[in-house]
Amino acid sequence: MRIVSTSVYEGPNIYALFPVIRHIIDLEELEHWPTAKLGEEFIDQLVTYLPGLEEHGCSYREPGGFIRRMREDEGTWLGHVFEHLAIELQNIAGSDVTFGKTRSTDKPGEYYLVYEYESKDVGLAAGKLALDLLQHLLPQNLKSSDAPDDDFDFNEERDDFIRYAQRRALGPSTASLVKAAEERGIPWLRLNEYSLVQFGHGRYQRRIQATVTSETRHIAVELASDKEETNKILADLGLPVPKQHLVYNLRNALRAAERIGFPVVVKPLNANHGRGVSTNLNSKEEVEVAYDKAKEHSRSVIVESFIVGLDHRMVVINGELIAVAKRMPGHVVGDGQHTVEQLVEIVNQDPRRGVGHEKVLTRLEFDHQAERLLKQSGYDKDTVLADGETLFLRTTANLSTGGTAIDVTDIVHPDNKEMAARAINAIGLDVGGVDFLTSDISKSYRETGGAICEINAAPGFRMHVAPSEGTPRDVATPVIDMLFPPDSPSRIPIAAITGTNGKTTTSRMLGHILKLAGYTVGMTSTDGVYIDGQLSVAGDMTGPTSAKMILRDPTVDAAVLETARGGLLRSGLGYRQSNVSACLNVSADHLGLRGIDTVEQLAEVKRVVVEVAKDVAVLNADDVLCLQMASFCKAERICYVTMNHNHPLVKEHIRANGLAVVLEEGMNGHMITLYDNGQHIPLLWTHLIPATLEGRALHNVQNAMFAAALAYSMNINLENIKHGLRTFNTSFFQAPGRMNIFDEHPFKVIMDYAHNPAAVKTICQLVDRLDVTGKKIIVLSAPGDRRDQDIEEIASIAAGGFDHYICRRDDNRRGRGNSEVPELLKQTLIGNGVGADKIQIVIDEVEANNTALEKAQAGDLVLILCDAVSRSWKQIISFSPDENIVSETTIPSHIADLDLNEYLDFQLDGDIELIRDEKGVRLAKEEND
């Protein structure tokens, strides 16, 4: 049994609308060994190692269902078992995942198995350990060569895996904030492997790192970290603080202790989590030891008076006290039987205790503090404490050093609430913790005394959301409400566009409309990532990574995301939800790649984009595969786009007050018309849209209709939609590679990135509708990774429509021979009746384009189906025809009848001469070349 390939889907995908991992596995010989044949012992061992499997319902949807599947009849196959093991391993590591699916592929013994994950690394590690466990339990003769060694210890491996998972999990504070954001419907992105998280998208984003927020002032954090300065500020405001001295050497530390008076506290100036803090020191010797420990964490050390009282953490958020916990230092309670060391082991068996912050409580450890306190008490590790006797092993009550927390929020005296809020406001923190020592938090500090010993700029929420005793407190929601007050936006509008052809042009049209409406638009496309119209990252950027670039950019307030098949199949979507989504069309393209062999399968892939739309799903009613997506839509509304004003389904949809965009015939041509809730809204004549070439480019008419539908669904007003469409053209600047026309030569050149049969058919039909007085020349090619029948179909579509054919290949042959694609095109053209004398094979794209341009004469049309878009366009515009350097086609009409010398006199003042040399033709003043 082996893993053939692995895919990690970061967002909605063809298997689920949440992140999943897919393994394709080959069972090899194990295809003939389902679980029943492997025997009861195999199944029993699985359940012994992972008892939680008994809760898996599987297809029976009830606890025990999966175990039943393994035992009944012939059982189930190991691919299915692998899936359940990967899920259960994640469960025991703390991930709440349940979804899985296993299906056979077309190859015997090969399966794809899919399972949900929360952390990619943890999900992949769970898959590896699941495979190792299966291999370990197999009979020796069925194990593969990469099976784990005989000394494989699953329990040890499981514990290592759990620790690995916990290191990658969000900490308790961060996790509580993420949960609160999800409950508010606020999207979030994890920005690193630790606690840096973005809430919201684009310009509305806010960030946190643990409990430090993007609104936390740097100076406030610096002040809170400087314990001496904090003490002075609070003292100046009359708030209760201990006497304190900052020292830099042991001699001054001892002097400070004597000056303040024993007992004292020694602590680092800028450490946290109680590290290096020693309290209740009653002698110079204890101060010496404590000073050395404090110096391990800071160059400067504070000596302050020891305040008698219990340690309380008071959390203030946005100026209001939210939660208070009484913290007890790590301790053990005697039972008259066990030693101190054994009692520590018993305490650490509490499943709530872990290492560091990975669990609600932290394990107790023996260190210098524990040894000092044991010695002070006259005990050692082997001492048996009396029944009920409490022995503290820590002087500080931090949870990170083994302390416990008891919630006391409901009994805090109003004076103490005010004191805590004043202290945090004095330092300037939006989220802060006050460490307050008092004998009774229910009484005013003015009555009982007590003091603020520390201000924390990043207070942990663990003790409040999961106290050892008392009521859990929701401290996360106030933070989220502070970052995103009620009714404030957290999401930018997202438009997602998919389909076989027209995606990029439609995306650019919509982006142009939104920009004119005042938005800063982030757009992904096959050309790159654009921010406010400027290219940020070049390349095919239609996958999840580029989508996240847009959503993370703090300047963007509207996203237009072209979403292609490749990214969906590789990694899924980079967003969980869009406001509006459109599927323009589905036709044969990229078939035979990544397991997609039919247009129906391709439609299932593209349907994912439509399924995640929240407000409106825009579908092509003239494409049956798009129409069939309607039943999967979860959006509030469906908008149909049709170029057939008599479309029966759309008519019925309109009668039901549905939303539609229809191309209607009128006296002056064709009108793009909106229907919404019974309203008939004429929008724009197609001949007024430059990108449609006066209505002749029907594919761009349809693209404009989709752009209008999307913009209208995003609540863009009609005037902005009209203005956007009327000012958008298919120039190379606005839509590179999309029907770019250059007519400054004596002949017309059209360059297009058409690379599949449907796109080639569309551009060839446009050429048929244009008035061409001369010859028609085409530079024809097809990507090498397309099926032979796709390449042949491209050639068949072009056959008969042109006077001369130049067949080439792309720079990247994608597995084809050097001239394989052009030869296949040529043979298909000949088979469709094109004479061999009208066909040329010019393998290189640059040479092929140049051949076509050199062959063209005045009045001709050259159609270049390009691969390297920018290079081809530069070649077109820089081409210099050998003849007619100045011709009627390049001279303004009012001077078209002038000869060359008359033209020069008309255009330029002064004496000039015409120079012809190796540089070409140029003008120069007679006296100064």
Side-chain angles (χ1 to χ4, degrees):
M1 179 168 56
R2 64 187 180 89
I3 296 176
V4 177
S5 67
T6 298
S7 298
V8 179
Y9 296 93
E10 301 175 22
N13 54 82
I14 57 176
Y15 303 107
L17 297 183
F18 43 79
V20 297
I21 290 170
R22 185 196 70 186
H23 292 302
I24 294 180
I25 63 168
D26 187 352
L27 292 185
E28 299 173 320
E29 177 62 23
L30 292 171
E31 171 68 2
H32 308 294
W33 288 84
T35 52
K37 188 174 179 180
L38 287 168
E40 290 292 324
E41 183 181 355
F42 174 83
I43 298 170
D44 290 342
Q45 285 183 298
L46 278 177
V47 178
T48 300
Y49 281 131
L50 292 171
L53 290 174
E54 294 184 352
E55 299 299 316
H56 290 215
C58 200
S59 56
Y60 292 104
R61 303 189 182 280
E62 61 182 18
F66 175 60
I67 305 299
R68 184 176 165 189
R69 279 286 305 274
M70 287 199 291
R71 296 188 192 280
E72 67 183 5
D73 300 327
E74 60 184 351
T76 189
W77 273 256
L78 290 189
H80 186 206
V81 178
F82 187 153
E83 167 210 322
H84 280 268
L85 295 186
I87 292 171
E88 179 58 23
L89 284 166
Q90 291 182 86
N91 289 162
I92 65 173
S95 295
D96 183 18
V97 297
T98 58
F99 173 81
K101 179 167 69 173
T102 302
R103 300 288 186 272
S104 61
T105 68
D106 294 335
K107 297 180 181 178
E110 187 176 271
Y111 296 78
Y112 74 78
L113 62 97
V114 176
Y115 56 88
E116 184 182 1
Y117 72 88
E118 287 183 355
S119 164
K120 176 184 73 172
D121 292 337
V122 173
L124 291 171
K128 181 181 184 304
L129 183 53
L131 182 60
D132 285 346
L133 177 58
L134 286 174
Q135 295 271 24
H136 172 66
L137 295 179
L138 288 173
Q140 194 65 38
N141 62 313
L142 293 177
K143 292 183 179 182
S144 64
S145 58
D146 57 351
D149 296 335
D150 292 339
D151 61 354
F152 176 83
D153 185 333
F154 175 73
N155 292 329
E156 182 179 326
E157 295 291 335
R158 177 202 59 206
D159 292 347
D160 287 345
F161 166 72
I162 291 172
R163 283 189 284 270
Y164 175 86
Q166 289 172 341
R167 287 196 299 271
R168 280 153 182 78
L170 293 172
S173 300
T174 309
S176 68
L177 288 164
V178 166
K179 180 181 178 183
E182 289 178 336
E183 289 173 353
R184 279 272 311 268
I186 295 169
W188 63 280
L189 296 168
R190 190 172 184 176
L191 302 182
N192 64 10
E193 294 180 359
Y194 304 102
S195 300
L196 184 61
V197 173
Q198 174 184 315
F199 294 122
H201 289 155
R203 64 173 293 193
Y204 302 121
Q205 67 180 267
R206 300 289 186 270
R207 292 179 182 174
I208 63 161
Q209 179 135 9
T211 59
V212 174
T213 79
S214 51
E215 308 307 302
T216 304
R217 298 170 184 170
H218 177 72
I219 190 171
V221 175
E222 289 293 308
L223 285 174
S225 299
D226 188 329
K227 293 177 174 60
E228 181 190 32
E229 200 61 47
T230 296
N231 184 276
K232 289 179 181 178
I233 290 173
L234 298 183
D236 289 345
L237 293 175
L239 292 168
V241 292
K243 295 178 183 178
Q244 191 179 85
H245 289 283
L246 180 67
V247 299
Y248 299 94
N249 56 56
L250 177 59
R251 186 178 64 178
N252 286 338
L254 295 172
R255 285 180 178 175
E258 289 180 337
R259 196 174 301 125
I260 292 169
F262 291 103
V264 296
V265 174
V266 174
K267 59 186 179 182
L269 174 65
N270 50 14
N272 52 24
H273 298 302
R275 297 186 184 97
V277 179
S278 301
T279 67
N280 197 16
L281 307 175
N282 289 282
S283 68
K284 288 184 178 181
E285 291 76 19
E286 289 179 352
V287 169
E288 286 184 24
V289 175
Y291 179 83
D292 290 339
K293 289 299 176 184
K295 286 287 284 185
E296 293 176 5
H297 302 278
S298 175
R299 290 182 299 174
S300 307
V301 174
I302 286 176
V303 180
E304 68 182 21
S305 55
F306 175 70
I307 306 299
V308 177
L310 298 171
D311 187 359
H312 296 80
R313 167 60 62 81
M314 312 176 78
V315 171
V316 176
I317 298 170
N318 201 24
E320 181 182 353
L321 182 70
I322 300 299
V324 180
K326 179 170 68 177
R327 301 188 295 178
M328 298 290 290
H331 63 278
V332 292
V333 180
D335 58 6
Q337 300 178 18
H338 294 90
T339 66
V340 171
E341 188 172 24
Q342 290 171 334
L343 290 173
V344 168
E345 292 176 1
I346 292 170
V347 167
N348 285 338
Q349 288 173 7
D350 185 340
R352 296 177 299 169
R353 290 190 182 269
V355 178
H357 289 272
E358 65 187 21
K359 291 190 177 181
V360 174
L361 298 174
T362 301
R363 292 170 57 87
L364 284 176
E365 302 289 345
F366 278 108
D367 61 6
H368 82 284
Q369 277 199 35
E371 292 170 358
R372 178 173 66 83
L373 292 172
L374 273 172
K375 185 177 180 181
Q376 277 184 351
S377 303
Y379 298 151
D380 60 28
K381 293 181 182 180
D382 296 325
T383 299
V384 176
L385 298 179
D387 187 21
E389 181 182 356
T390 299
L391 174 67
F392 288 100
L393 298 174
R394 288 290 181 279
T395 55
T396 58
N398 299 74
L399 265 67
S400 56
T401 57
T404 56
I406 302 168
D407 179 74
V408 293
T409 306
D410 293 333
I411 65 170
V412 179
H413 192 279
D415 286 351
N416 298 337
K417 290 182 180 181
E418 180 192 24
M419 175 268 302
R422 284 187 63 206
I424 294 301
N425 287 336
I427 301 302
L429 292 166
D430 58 339
V431 179
V434 177
D435 287 348
F436 182 57
L437 296 174
T438 182
S439 58
D440 191 344
I441 195 72
S442 67
K443 295 180 180 179
S444 171
Y445 70 92
R446 295 186 177 94
E447 176 186 346
T448 62
I452 299 169
C453 61
E454 195 167 326
I455 299 294
N456 291 272
F461 287 174
R462 180 167 60 151
M463 70 187 75
H464 306 293
V465 298
S468 311
E469 297 178 35
T471 305
R473 300 292 170 174
D474 181 5
V475 285
T477 295
V479 176
I480 297 300
D481 289 344
M482 176 187 69
L483 297 175
F484 299 94
D487 300 324
S488 65
S490 62
R491 297 176 182 269
I492 61 173
I494 298 175
I497 300 167
T498 192
T500 302
N501 295 305
K503 299 185 297 294
T504 301
T505 300
T506 303
S507 297
R508 287 180 172 276
M509 283 181 172
L510 178 59
H512 182 66
I513 293 169
L514 293 172
K515 182 176 176 63
L516 293 182
Y519 286 91
T520 298
V521 181
M523 185 182 74
T524 64
S525 73
T526 51
D527 308 322
V529 173
Y530 291 81
I531 306 295
D532 199 26
Q534 300 298 313
L535 180 63
S536 175
V537 182
D540 187 344
M541 304 296 287
T542 55
T545 300
S546 54
K548 289 179 180 178
M549 287 183 191
I550 298 297
L551 300 179
R552 288 176 60 171
D553 192 293
T555 65
V556 169
D557 53 18
V560 178
L561 307 177
E562 179 184 341
T563 308
R565 166 210 62 90
L568 276 166
L569 288 173
R570 281 192 306 273
S571 309
L573 294 177
Y575 48 94
R576 296 292 183 91
Q577 176 182 286
S578 65
N579 295 88
V580 296
S581 293
C583 186
L584 311 186
N585 45 62
V586 183
S587 58
D589 191 19
H590 298 278
L591 298 183
L593 301 174
R594 290 185 172 270
I596 304 301
D597 299 312
T598 67
V599 287
E600 289 76 18
Q601 290 175 322
L602 184 60
E604 288 182 26
V605 175
K606 295 183 180 294
R607 191 182 72 207
V608 175
V609 178
V610 174
E611 289 185 69
V612 300
K614 173 180 175 287
D615 300 330
V616 181
V618 184
L619 301 175
N620 185 351
D622 301 329
D623 186 319
V624 66
L625 291 173
C626 292
L627 270 182
Q628 291 171 354
M629 296 179 186
S631 59
F632 296 90
C633 292
K634 300 172 181 62
E636 294 177 7
R637 304 186 75 189
I638 293 176
C639 175
Y640 290 118
V641 173
T642 179
M643 300 178 76
N644 173 12
H645 65 276
N646 288 317
H647 196 296
L649 185 146
V650 177
K651 277 188 172 183
E652 190 63 30
H653 182 68
I654 291 170
R655 291 191 190 103
N657 293 326
L659 178 61
V661 178
V662 181
L663 189 65
E664 296 186 336
E665 294 186 19
M667 295 290 291
N668 296 321
H670 290 88
M671 171 69 73
I672 296 177
T673 307
L674 284 163
Y675 287 90
D676 185 18
N677 283 320
Q679 295 183 75
H680 174 260
I681 310 170
L683 184 67
L684 193 61
W685 295 106
T686 59
H687 64 265
L688 297 179
I689 303 172
T692 69
L693 301 184
E694 298 185 338
R696 292 187 182 91
L698 294 180
H699 64 292
N700 270 352
V701 171
Q702 187 179 66
N703 291 337
M705 293 170 71
F706 272 100
L710 289 162
Y712 183 79
S713 299
M714 297 172 77
N715 299 315
I716 305 301
N717 68 54
L718 296 176
E719 286 305 313
N720 280 327
I721 297 174
K722 291 178 186 177
H723 186 47
L725 292 177
R726 291 191 68 163
T727 55
F728 181 87
N729 59 46
T730 57
S731 67
F732 182 80
F733 173 75
Q734 283 196 302
R738 272 69 189 176
M739 203 179 72
N740 305 141
I741 298 175
F742 190 80
D743 53 11
E744 296 183 24
H745 294 321
F747 48 86
K748 184 187 293 290
V749 182
I750 299 177
M751 184 186 79
D752 197 273
Y753 184 63
H755 58 280
N756 58 60
V760 173
K761 182 178 181 180
T762 296
I763 199 70
C764 288
Q765 288 175 340
L766 170 64
V767 169
D768 290 340
R769 287 190 289 270
L770 296 177
D771 296 326
V772 180
T773 59
K775 302 188 301 298
K776 296 177 184 177
I777 303 168
I778 184 172
V779 178
L780 188 63
S781 186
D785 60 357
R786 302 308 194 265
R787 302 173 303 174
D788 283 359
Q789 59 258 47
D790 298 324
I791 297 174
E792 291 166 351
E793 187 178 354
I794 286 173
S796 299
I797 290 167
F802 297 86
D803 300 292
H804 194 77
Y805 299 81
I806 299 171
C807 301
R808 63 162 185 84
R809 62 158 172 79
D810 290 349
D811 294 347
N812 183 352
R813 302 200 301 271
R814 306 190 189 194
R816 296 276 184 173
N818 191 45
S819 61
E820 186 178 351
V821 169
E823 289 287 357
L824 184 55
L825 290 168
K826 178 179 178 179
Q827 294 306 315
T828 305
L829 288 170
I830 291 173
N832 280 271
V834 178
D837 59 326
K838 295 183 177 181
I839 306 170
Q840 250 181 296
I841 289 181
V842 181
I843 291 175
D844 179 71
E845 181 175 30
V846 173
E847 293 181 14
N849 293 345
N850 199 55
T851 300
L853 295 171
E854 288 179 346
K855 184 174 282 293
Q857 300 294 317
D860 289 353
L861 183 144
V862 177
L863 174 61
I864 294 178
L865 302 183
C866 64
D867 176 41
V869 175
S870 296
R871 183 182 69 192
S872 296
W873 184 250
K874 289 177 182 177
Q875 191 178 0
I876 291 167
I877 64 175
S878 61
F879 177 75
S880 296
D882 290 337
E883 299 177 358
N884 302 322
I885 293 171
V886 180
S887 70
E888 291 187 2
T889 58
T890 59
I891 300 176
S893 59
H894 64 284
I895 56 171
D897 293 329
L898 302 178
D899 65 22
L900 179 58
N901 290 326
E902 290 173 327
Y903 169 71
L904 296 176
D905 289 338
F906 180 88
Q907 291 290 87
L908 301 170
D909 294 327
D911 297 325
I912 57 95
E913 64 176 333
L914 191 67
I915 298 176
R916 289 184 175 89
D917 57 17
E918 69 280 359
K919 295 180 180 179
V921 180
R922 54 200 173 95
L923 304 174
K925 290 280 188 181
E926 287 183 340
E927 70 276 12
N928 185 15
D929 193 333

Short mmCIF file of all heavy atoms in Angstrom, two decimals, residues 385 476 491 541 660 756 854:
data_model
loop_
_atom_site.label_atom_id
_atom_site.label_comp_id
_atom_site.label_asym_id
_atom_site.label_seq_id
_atom_site.Cartn_x
_atom_site.Cartn_y
_atom_site.Cartn_z
N LEU A 385 3.52 14.57 53.10
CA LEU A 385 2.75 15.64 53.74
C LEU A 385 1.56 15.06 54.50
O LEU A 385 0.98 14.05 54.09
CB LEU A 385 2.25 16.63 52.70
CG LEU A 385 3.30 17.40 51.88
CD1 LEU A 385 2.61 18.32 50.88
CD2 LEU A 385 4.22 18.20 52.78
N ALA A 476 -13.35 37.23 24.94
CA ALA A 476 -12.97 37.43 23.54
C ALA A 476 -13.96 38.32 22.80
O ALA A 476 -13.56 39.19 22.01
CB ALA A 476 -12.86 36.08 22.83
N ARG A 491 -16.19 42.71 5.87
CA ARG A 491 -15.96 42.07 4.57
C ARG A 491 -16.01 43.11 3.46
O ARG A 491 -16.81 44.05 3.51
CB ARG A 491 -17.02 41.01 4.28
CG ARG A 491 -17.05 39.85 5.25
CD ARG A 491 -18.21 38.91 4.92
NE ARG A 491 -18.30 37.79 5.85
CZ ARG A 491 -17.71 36.63 5.68
NH1 ARG A 491 -17.00 36.42 4.57
NH2 ARG A 491 -17.83 35.67 6.56
N MET A 541 -2.55 34.18 -12.28
CA MET A 541 -2.84 34.31 -10.85
C MET A 541 -4.34 34.12 -10.61
O MET A 541 -5.05 35.04 -10.23
CB MET A 541 -2.39 35.68 -10.35
CG MET A 541 -0.92 35.98 -10.60
SD MET A 541 0.20 34.88 -9.71
CE MET A 541 0.01 35.48 -8.05
N ALA A 660 -32.72 39.05 -14.17
CA ALA A 660 -32.18 38.56 -15.45
C ALA A 660 -31.60 39.70 -16.25
O ALA A 660 -31.98 40.86 -16.09
CB ALA A 660 -33.27 37.85 -16.26
N ASN A 756 -8.66 27.33 -26.99
CA ASN A 756 -9.51 26.14 -26.96
C ASN A 756 -10.54 26.27 -28.08
O ASN A 756 -10.73 27.35 -28.65
CB ASN A 756 -10.17 25.96 -25.59
CG ASN A 756 -11.02 27.16 -25.19
OD1 ASN A 756 -11.98 27.52 -25.87
ND2 ASN A 756 -10.67 27.79 -24.07
N GLU A 854 4.70 40.09 -42.55
CA GLU A 854 5.40 40.39 -43.81
C GLU A 854 4.55 40.03 -45.02
O GLU A 854 4.64 40.66 -46.07
CB GLU A 854 6.73 39.65 -43.85
CG GLU A 854 7.78 40.22 -42.90
CD GLU A 854 9.07 39.45 -42.94
OE1 GLU A 854 9.07 38.32 -43.50
OE2 GLU A 854 10.09 39.96 -42.43
#
